[in-house]
């Protein structure tokens, strides 16, 4: 009897217990009712959805203190814990999730290339398919605003800064020699295979306190976390061949690739203005190993390059030319770990190491240098809420550089320097609402070589004006060590300093993007020296200075014309500086006032072809004419280049690629070299520095074999 | 002894009532879904998932509703937030049931939705992943009719894109039909059993002359 009573009692408890009604209304921050929000008691079946008026009502048999959860897409989930009897006629406000689409973006100064970032201006594929970039990871960035076309160099010149003012990072760790070596006035290329990266951030100013020792810009490359499939790839190009393989097992994956490049056969066919003795030849290999832990990801990257070439450089003062031979050996290792520590803490840490050796012979003089650089970084991030995050970090750099110059006529001359840089940084990321966000940080660094420490503040904020547009501003101080070729002779110097002031406007609407950014930049303590090139007997000063101001405009449209994507960038640059061996403050040779790029990509479906065209224009660049008294006062004619490429997809695994640079054959002039001595009429004669060849052609065949055999079924049909 | 029996009986009863709630809740969610009240259905599946703990099935259906909902909208923000939500739900389902062919097929459908939404952005990036997911699903359950049917549909899509004959995959569709017809009633309640109705859509290509 007792048993039955208990049973009935308990069944009552479960089934017929007095029900409590839970009710209320759910609204957003603007008091607009939310339809379809999910409202329920945590851990129970009791709940409901809100109706058109945002109201909900449901019954529950639960008693005592319970947690009511209110959730809705792209809003932050909210909860109320209270006695069930108190949970009626509630008025609940949901905050918009600042991580969701449509939030304000802290983007002053920054271009993202990745597919998950809303601020992305380029997709990874864009980087490979931009005509004129020739598969060079850096080439595509040269079509973005804020960069100057300096075609004879190939590196990134950002907003009046020279190429040494940009630092490149892979997975947060510095790359010390991102470019392959090249002779004077011949363009270089990035060392890395574009297919290893999933996303990129290119900051043309005002970047995060996490990065230092770069006056103008940082380029952040992130490697792929997990390859999608096992595959083997082959590349056959008219200038070289390569292959790669990706394997996956358990929580591990390994990608390796190798490439052999030899310009000789090409240069035998296509005439060059350069008198090559041994055309450029290189062998390079890369590998990435990844391991997924329960709460983290380890990546180990290694890259190796060996390259050499020899040529007879034209020189107006040396009629027979200058013999120049270079061999370079570069090893780069980078391992990084990122993971969750629990309690909303996460860690990113890693080390990178580079060993770079150059053996150079100039007219019988041997110059050998060796650079060993090391970088270690530890960054901790605490996420207090979606709206408030803080980073804390510390990093250490070690650099040793040594150069030996030897000539049969004099004794070997040795120069070297060692530097340890220690830096700490912290940065807070705060979203006051979905419309207003700011980031503020500070970085302190100590450089042992200069016995100098400096502190640089960084701040940026963004405000959303309307559904599709926002404004942002940024300010920051940036310090950089003098270049290697100066530090090897002189260390009693100050670091150079730049301050950036940036204002940005962004409009985005369904496949269209307009971005305009105005900036002003000051330079202090730039390095000056008393000779034409830095030498052991030069005098050095930290007394240089300068400024850069400009406007960068970017328009991208993927929507208006089916299958056509295009972007147009225009950069206006006004800059002057007094540095190196300048007589006075002047606009340097690398800075053209106007730069324009138009990039178009058209996918023609029935041809299975991606046709791409890039047009680059740069106004005349300053050069110095010793026949006049003014310094750097004359300008070259403007630069023009139209590049075309055609990728034909033979099948999902086979691509045929053709590209031609400067198809119209514009004879571009970058600078003039004047003779050291005047001729009979008292005039200094000159020769133009021109392109090594008017056009460059690439024919390539790319073949991917998925290890997954069924994937090739299409070919067997 | 009596007390022990009482406790055991009560525990069983408690469990039975729990099961009853689960069955009732799931049936209600399917009714809502049938009545086109998809968001309510998804909400209910999510509530059940939260209350059940360690059961992947309600997560699976909540994710499926969000994925299917993106087929009928062109609003980019909605598509992205729904697919992001679906990915979270799929991840939850995976933590409670690793190496589950049904979840892998659903994840392949999720990635296909991304490709359909922005082919130029996601096409190249996700195609390999979709293929890999179907391969994995088929390796686990070679006779799973949903894996066979949806994989065939995916292959037909890419064959069309490459100018090949999509009909080459019609035998796969036939195979799927066969497995649908011979599929046993699932032993686990609400275990995925759907898909026969989708055959007609996929078969359209095969019936064209």
């Amino acid at each position: 009897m007792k048993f039955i009573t208990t049973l009935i009692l308990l069944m009552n408890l479960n089934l017929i217990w007095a029900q409590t009604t839970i009710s209320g209304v759910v609204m957003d921050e603007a008091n607009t009712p939310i339809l379809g929000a999910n409202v329920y008691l945590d851990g129970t079946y009791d709940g409901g959805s809100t109706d058109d008026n945002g109201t909900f009502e449901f019954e529950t048999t639960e008693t005592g203190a319970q947690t009511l959860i209110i959730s809705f897409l792209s809003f932050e989930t909210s909860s109320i814990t209270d006695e069930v009897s108190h949970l009626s006629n509630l008025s609940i406000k949901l905050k918009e999730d600042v991580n969701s689409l449509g939030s304000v973006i802290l983007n002053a100064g920054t271009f993202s290339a990745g597919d998950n970032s809303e601020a992305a201006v380029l997709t990874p594929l864009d980087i490979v398919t931009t005509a004129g970039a020739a598969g060079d990871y850096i080439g595509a960035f040269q079509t973005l605003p804020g960069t100057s076309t300096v075609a004879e160099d190939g590196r990134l010149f950002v907003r009046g800064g020279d190429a040494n003012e940009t630092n490149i990072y892979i997975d947060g760790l510095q790359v010390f020699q991102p470019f392959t070596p090249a002779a004077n006035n011949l363009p270089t290329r990035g060392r890395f295979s574009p297919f290893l990266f999933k996303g990129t951030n290119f900051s043309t100013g005002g970047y995060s306190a996490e990065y230092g020792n770069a006056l103008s810009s940082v380029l952040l490359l992130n490697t792929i976390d997990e390859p999608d499939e096992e595959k083997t790839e082959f590349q056959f190009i008219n200038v070289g061949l390569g292959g790669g393989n990706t394997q996956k097992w358990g929580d591990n994956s390994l990608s390796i690739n190798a490439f052999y490049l030899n310009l000789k056969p090409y240069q035998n066919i296509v005439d060059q203005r350069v008198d090559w003795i041994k055309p450029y030849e290189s062998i390079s290999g890369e590998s990435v190993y990844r391991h997924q832990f329960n709460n983290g990801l380890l990546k180990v990257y290694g890259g190796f390059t060996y390259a050499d070439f020899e040529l007879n450089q034209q020189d107006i003062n040396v009629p027979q030319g200058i013999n120049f031979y270079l061999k370079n050996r570069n090893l780069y290792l980078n391992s990084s770990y990122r993971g969750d520590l629990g309690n909303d803490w996460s860690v990113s840490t890693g080390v990178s190491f580079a060993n770079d050796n150059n053996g150079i012979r100039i007219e019988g003089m041997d110059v050998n240098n060796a650079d060993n650089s090391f970088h270690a970084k530890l960054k901790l991030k605490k996420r207090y809420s979606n709206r408030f995050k803080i980073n804390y970090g510390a990093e250490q750099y070690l650099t040793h550089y040594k150069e030996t110059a030897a000539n049969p006529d004099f004794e070997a001359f040795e120069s070297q320097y060692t530097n340890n840089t220690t830096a700490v940084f912290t940065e807070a990321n705060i979203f006051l609402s979905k419309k207003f966000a700011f980031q503020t940080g500070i970085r302190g660094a100590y450089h042992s070589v200069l016995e100098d420490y400096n502190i640089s503040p960084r701040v940026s904020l963004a405000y959303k004006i309307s559904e599709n547009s926002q404004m942002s501003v940024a300010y920051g101080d940036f310090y950089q060590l003098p270049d290697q070729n100066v530090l090897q002779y002189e260390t009693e110097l100050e670091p150079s300093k730049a301050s950036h002031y940036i204002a940005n406007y962004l409009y985005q609407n369904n496949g269209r993007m307009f971005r305009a950014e105005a900036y002003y930049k000051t330079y202090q303590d730039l390095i000056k020296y008393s000779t034409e090139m830095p030498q052991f007997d030069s005098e050095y000063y930290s007394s240089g200075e300068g400024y850069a101001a400009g406007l960068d405009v970017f328009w991208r449209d993927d929507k208006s014309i089916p299958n056509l994507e295009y972007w147009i960038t225009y950069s206006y640059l006004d800059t002057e500086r007094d540095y190196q061996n300048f007589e006075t403050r002047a606009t340097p040779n690398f800075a053209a006032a106007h730069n324009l790029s138009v990039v178009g990509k058209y996918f023609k479906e029935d041809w299975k072809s991606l046709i791409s065209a890039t047009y680059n224009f740069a106004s005349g660049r300053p050069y110095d004419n010793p026949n006049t008294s003014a310094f750097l006062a004359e300008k070259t004619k403007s630069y023009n280049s139209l590049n075309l490429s055609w990728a034909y997809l033979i099948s999902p695994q086979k691509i045929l690629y053709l590209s031609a640079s400067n198809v119209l054959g514009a004879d571009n002039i970058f600078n003039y070299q004047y003779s050291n001595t005047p001729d009979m009429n008292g005039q200094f004669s000159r020769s133009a520095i021109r392109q090594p060849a008017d056009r460059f052609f690439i024919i390539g065949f790319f073949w991917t074999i998925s290890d997954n055999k069924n994937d090739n079924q299409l070919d067997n049909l | 002894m009596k007390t022990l029996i009482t406790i055991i009986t009560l525990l069983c009863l408690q469990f039975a009532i729990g099961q009853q709630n689960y069955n009732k809740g799931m049936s209600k969610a399917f009714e809502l879904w049938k009545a086109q009240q998809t968001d309510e259905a998804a909400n209910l599946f999510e509530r059940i998932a939260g209350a059940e703990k360690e059961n992947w099935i309600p997560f699976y259906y909540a994710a499926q509703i969000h994925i299917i909902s993106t087929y009928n909208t062109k609003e980019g923000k909605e598509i992205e937030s729904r697919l992001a939500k679906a990915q979270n739900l799929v991840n939850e389902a995976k933590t409670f049931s690793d190496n589950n062919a049904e979840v892998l097929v659903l994840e392949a459908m999720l990635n296909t939705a991304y490709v359909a939404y922005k082919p130029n952005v996601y096409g190249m990036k996700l195609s390999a992943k979709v293929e890999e997911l179907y391969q994995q699903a088929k390796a686990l359950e070679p006779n799973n009719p949903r894996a066979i049917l949806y994989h065939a549909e995916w292959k037909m899509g890419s064959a069309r894109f490459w100018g090949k004959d999509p009909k080459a995959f019609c035998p796969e569709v036939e195979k799927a039909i066969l497995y649908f017809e011979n599929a046993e009633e699932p032993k686990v309640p609400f275990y995925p059993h759907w898909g026969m109705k989708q055959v007609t859509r996929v078969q359209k290509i095969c019936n064209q002359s």
Side-chain angles (χ1 to χ4, degrees), chain A residues 160-211:
Chain A
D162 74 20
N164 295 319
E165 295 178 20
T166 298
N167 274 351
I168 299 182
Y169 298 80
I170 290 181
D171 294 329
L173 297 159
Q174 191 166 351
V175 184
F176 296 94
Q177 293 88 20
F179 297 98
T180 58
N184 251 347
N185 299 319
L186 293 173
T188 175
R189 291 170 62 87
R191 283 186 200 270
F192 308 103
S193 160
F195 297 101
L196 290 174
F197 303 103
K198 63 161 184 196
T200 310
N201 259 293
F202 178 41
S203 174
T204 53
Y207 48 87
S208 149
E210 188 179 340
Y211 306 99

Side-chain angles (χ1 to χ4, degrees), chain B residues 156-177:
Chain B
M156 284 175 169
S158 64
R160 244 198 323 252
F161 179 82
W162 294 104
K164 305 270 166 79
D165 183 9
K167 285 186 184 167
F169 299 98
C170 291
E172 287 291 305
V173 179
E174 295 299 324
K175 202 166 122 191
I177 296 171

Side-chain angles (χ1 to χ4, degrees), chain A residues 1-3 6-7 10-11 14-15 35-50 71-74 100-102 115-116 118 123 125 195 198 228-230 248 464 467-468 510 558-559 565 603 605 608 649-655 708 710-715 717, chain B residues 2 5-7 9-10 13-14 17-23 25-26 39-44 46-48 50-53 66 74 76-78 80-82 85 117-118 120-122 124-129 131-132 135-136 138 151 155 158-165 168-169 172:
Chain A
M1 188 57 208
K2 200 174 153 199
F3 171 76
T6 321
L7 198 74
L10 269 151
M11 284 188 77
N14 272 298
L15 301 175
L35 162 71
N38 199 2
V39 188
Y40 58 99
L41 289 180
D42 195 21
T44 75
Y45 282 83
D46 304 333
S49 298
T50 55
S71 76
F72 187 58
L73 282 176
S74 73
S100 73
L101 236 72
D115 29 29
N116 296 321
E118 213 183 330
T123 64
L125 199 59
F195 297 101
K198 63 161 184 196
D228 289 323
E229 57 172 359
E230 298 197 338
K248 292 169 77 171
K464 193 147 185 160
E467 175 80 15
N468 297 317
N510 207 12
D558 297 349
K559 267 278 143 67
E565 292 173 13
F603 190 74
E605 228 172 288
K608 304 278 164 272
L649 307 162
I650 302 169
S651 78
Q653 284 82 28
K654 298 189 189 103
I655 298 175
N708 186 334
N710 288 326
D711 212 22
N712 277 323
Q713 208 167 323
L714 281 176
D715 305 330
L717 290 173
Chain B
K2 215 167 154 188
I5 293 173
T6 319
I7 290 171
T9 318
L10 280 171
L13 208 73
Q14 209 55 4
I17 291 166
Q19 270 309 105
Q20 200 187 328
N21 276 344
Y22 175 67
N23 291 343
M26 290 294 278
D39 281 339
E40 280 85 346
N43 280 350
L44 184 50
E46 222 186 306
R47 289 203 291 273
I48 296 168
E52 275 292 301
K53 299 190 179 73
H66 285 295
K74 286 211 151 66
K77 277 182 192 173
E78 192 189 331
E80 292 206 14
S81 54
R82 279 190 191 274
K85 174 91 187 180
Y117 160 52
K118 275 191 179 171
N120 54 346
V121 176
Y122 296 109
M124 182 122 168
K125 187 182 142 70
L126 296 179
S127 290
K129 194 172 174 183
E131 182 63 31
E132 177 96 0
Q135 294 289 346
Q136 279 177 17
K138 282 176 152 178
H151 193 198
K155 290 250 185 194
S158 64
R160 244 198 323 252
F161 179 82
W162 294 104
K164 305 270 166 79
D165 183 9
F169 299 98
E172 287 291 305

Side-chain angles (χ1 to χ4, degrees), chain A residues 307-326:
Chain A
D308 70 354
F309 61 86
E310 183 173 4
L311 77 169
N312 204 15
Q313 269 194 320
Q314 291 164 16
D315 192 300
I316 192 158
N317 297 307
V318 188
Q320 73 276 21
I322 295 171
N323 181 274
F324 183 89
Y325 167 81
L326 183 146

Side-chain angles (χ1 to χ4, degrees), chain A residues 49-63:
Chain A
S49 298
T50 55
D51 63 14
D52 294 356
N53 302 318
T55 59
F56 63 90
E57 190 179 295
F58 61 88
E59 310 268 298
T60 183
T61 54
E62 303 290 331
T63 54

Side-chain angles (χ1 to χ4, degrees), chain A residues 118-175:
Chain A
E118 213 183 330
V121 292
L122 297 181
T123 64
L125 199 59
D126 283 335
I127 288 163
V128 191
T129 55
T130 298
D136 179 11
Y137 210 77
I138 305 302
F141 290 96
Q142 287 163 348
T143 64
L144 290 183
T147 59
S148 298
T149 300
V150 185
E152 79 280 19
D153 188 284
R155 293 178 295 169
L156 289 165
F157 289 72
V158 179
R159 291 186 171 168
D162 74 20
N164 295 319
E165 295 178 20
T166 298
N167 274 351
I168 299 182
Y169 298 80
I170 290 181
D171 294 329
L173 297 159
Q174 191 166 351
V175 184

Side-chain angles (χ1 to χ4, degrees), chain A residues 25 71 125 140 193 301 336 341 387 430 489 515 546 669:
Chain A
V25 57
S71 76
L125 199 59
S193 160
Y301 170 93
S336 63
L341 301 174
R387 299 179 173 226
I430 301 155
Y489 303 121
R515 187 181 184 281
I669 289 171

Side-chain angles (χ1 to χ4, degrees), chain A residues 376-387:
Chain A
K377 187 194 264 185
L378 172 69
K379 184 173 89 172
L380 295 168
K381 185 173 182 177
K382 167 80 177 171
R383 182 181 158 283
Y384 291 93
S385 75
N386 257 349
R387 299 179 173 226

